[in-house]
Amino acid sequence: MNALRPVQVPRLALAPSDVDVAIVGAGAAGIAAARRCLAEGLTCTVLEARNRIGGRCVTVPVGGRPLDLGAHWLHAGDLNPLVALGRERGEPLVPAPRSGGLVVEGVLADEATARAQFDAFETAGAAIAEAAGLSEDPSIADVLPELGRWRQPVAATLALISGRPLDEVSAHDFPSEEFGDNWFAKGGYGAYLARLAEGLPIALGHPVDRIDWSGEGVSLEGPGGQVRARAAIVTVPIALLAEDRIRFAPALPEPARDAIAAFLPGTYEHVVLDWANSPFREADRLVKIVGPDSSYGLMTRIEGGPLHYFEIDHATAEALGRDASSLAAFTRDWLAARLGRDAVRGLAIPCVTDWVRDSWSRAAWAVARPGRAPDRRTLAEPIGERLWIAGEATSVRLWGTVGGAWEEGDAAALAAARRLKTSPADLPDLM
Ligand SMILES: Cc1cc2nc3c(=O)[nH]c(=O)nc-3n(C[C@H](O)[C@H](O)[C@H](O)COP(=O)(O)OP(=O)(O)OC[C@H]3O[C@@H](n4cnc5c(N)ncnc54)[C@H](O)[C@@H]3O)c2cc1C
């Protein structure tokens, strides 16, 4: 995945090695943090391990067309800061179709069947929302109603969008995600994000493996050299912090370490289908295909072209050893069994993503275990008044999304700016 060159490559400014704020990671959170630091009149440097920006939001050419390998949807248009900013900038944002499709045992569902499925999702949503109001935090599996024949397809969809099997997902955390009012960025979400990085001081190919915050400021170290700063914002995926891929000196305080352990690496992988003769004619539709004992989601004809996504959840990825050729063969056979051999005759699979094994992601997003929803806020607390952790995982209302990561990077940079502009006499005694 990392070998592909993105469709949009921003021109970057020189990244100085002695700055007010050092930012680790040039995904959505890191880009937002850098823009905010500069707007606040602070100097900053972004250190990015990969040879590209964007993190889990990147658009690459596939068969000559732009394709998002990670995030594609701008969720929650009324909350998502990247929808408001995109409108302001004149970015090519288009509303996502509100209705999807449903195929049950090979046949396009009639209105009554589609209605029954819709009602089952509503019933499940209401049960989860009710659980969110309880003082105990059960798992989604604990509160999912029976739902008859719809239980399996509903559970499969919820497991896919939460990133883990439902017994591992906090019911308190789940409803905070608002998926209504979705948008697409024509030409790719990653390309839009790359335009937002234009002119920023980002050093590519610069992994950070040690952060020393024992002195007055912060020193960030890695094979690319050392950067000194008055404060640092760490936007790397939480799964990497859980693996101790960055050593902190001194170690992070116990509440932060405990909060890092609250999360599980979520899975969401795209099997990309190049399928000009697919039976699905409409562009950008979500189609649920329900079989007798399993169901999967498709996104059809992305931007009107031949590419489709077949979406892989945690359990399926694990069962197939996260092996690209096994996942491709599984996808083809599963579709053939539901839609007929003829339907998949012209189907090619140019790419299968593997974000969970990608060494700079290790997860599609961070999933809060039952009982651990409040840890998102704990993670966002300033550490020693000079270290902040920010990214999709620290967002309460838009966790697991690019918009949430953006908002959190921006908020951390604002907090750092406030702290750096405060005179030392006004600071609390830390020791
Ligand atoms: C397949 C898939 C589909 C998704 N679909 C959607 C969607 O439709 N809509 C949506 O909003 N979200 C979606 N998401 C989630 C979304 O992509 C993420 O929530 C978001 O991109 C996270 O942004 P971030 O800045 O927090 O982290 P990242 O994008 O991961 O950025 C962190 C950066 O840190 C870098 N880094 C890591 N370690 C180091 C180090 N030691 N030193 C320096 N740099 C380092 C990484 O290379 C990366 O560039 C999807 C994710 C996946 C994988």
Side-chain angles (χ1 to χ4, degrees), residues 25 28-29 48-50 55-56 70-73 208 240 268 392 400-402:
E48 167 54 53
R50 301 181 205 258
R56 288 169 278 180
H72 182 62
W73 298 71
V208 171
L240 293 179
Y268 191 103
E392 58 82 15
T401 72
V402 179

Side-chain angles (χ1 to χ4, degrees), residues 3 7 12 127 129 136 153 206-207 211 241 261 325 338 340 350 362 383 422:
V7 295
L12 303 175
E136 288 270 304
H206 202 310
I211 298 181
L241 296 182
S325 50
R338 262 90 233 161
R362 292 282 195 246
I383 298 167
T422 307

Side-chain angles (χ1 to χ4, degrees), residues 184-211:
F184 297 124
K186 278 181 86 171
Y189 204 169
Y192 167 28
L193 188 63
R195 288 191 284 278
L196 294 170
E198 188 68 28
L200 294 179
I202 301 177
L204 298 176
H206 202 310
V208 171
D209 54 31
R210 185 168 183 273
I211 298 181

Side-chain angles (χ1 to χ4, degrees), residues 189-271:
Y189 204 169
Y192 167 28
L193 188 63
R195 288 191 284 278
L196 294 170
E198 188 68 28
L200 294 179
I202 301 177
L204 298 176
H206 202 310
V208 171
D209 54 31
R210 185 168 183 273
I211 298 181
D212 186 330
W213 56 292
S214 59
E216 216 167 79
V218 183
S219 161
L220 298 95
E221 294 148 27
Q226 186 197 36
V227 167
R228 290 208 51 82
R230 297 167 67 202
I233 301 174
V234 178
T235 73
V236 309
I238 297 309
L240 293 179
L241 296 182
E243 286 181 12
D244 286 327
R245 292 274 294 282
I246 298 180
R247 282 168 296 120
F248 290 85
L252 291 175
E254 177 53 27
R257 280 186 286 138
D258 185 51
I260 288 167
F263 297 93
L264 291 166
T267 298
Y268 191 103
E269 304 290 359
H270 298 304
V271 174

Side-chain angles (χ1 to χ4, degrees), residues 315-329:
T316 306
E318 286 290 310
L320 295 170
R322 299 190 181 274
D323 172 65
S325 50
S326 307
L327 282 162

Side-chain angles (χ1 to χ4, degrees), residues 335-418:
L335 286 171
R338 262 90 233 161
L339 306 173
R341 279 270 151 217
D342 279 352
V344 298
R345 225 174 277 287
L347 163 65
I349 299 187
C351 163
V352 178
T353 66
D354 191 0
W355 290 99
V356 168
R357 288 195 310 183
D358 175 281
S359 56
W360 303 115
S361 303
R362 292 282 195 246
W365 51 74
V367 180
R369 301 170 202 259
R372 303 306 299 264
D375 288 80
R376 295 197 187 278
R377 284 336 289 158
T378 310
L379 262 188
E381 291 289 319
I383 298 167
E385 297 290 322
R386 54 194 177 287
L387 269 185
W388 279 263
I389 293 173
E392 58 82 15
T394 58
S395 173
V396 173
R397 60 181 196 164
L398 287 171
W399 57 260
T401 72
V402 179
W406 183 271
E407 202 165 60
E408 292 298 304
D410 184 64
L414 253 184
R418 246 182 249 129

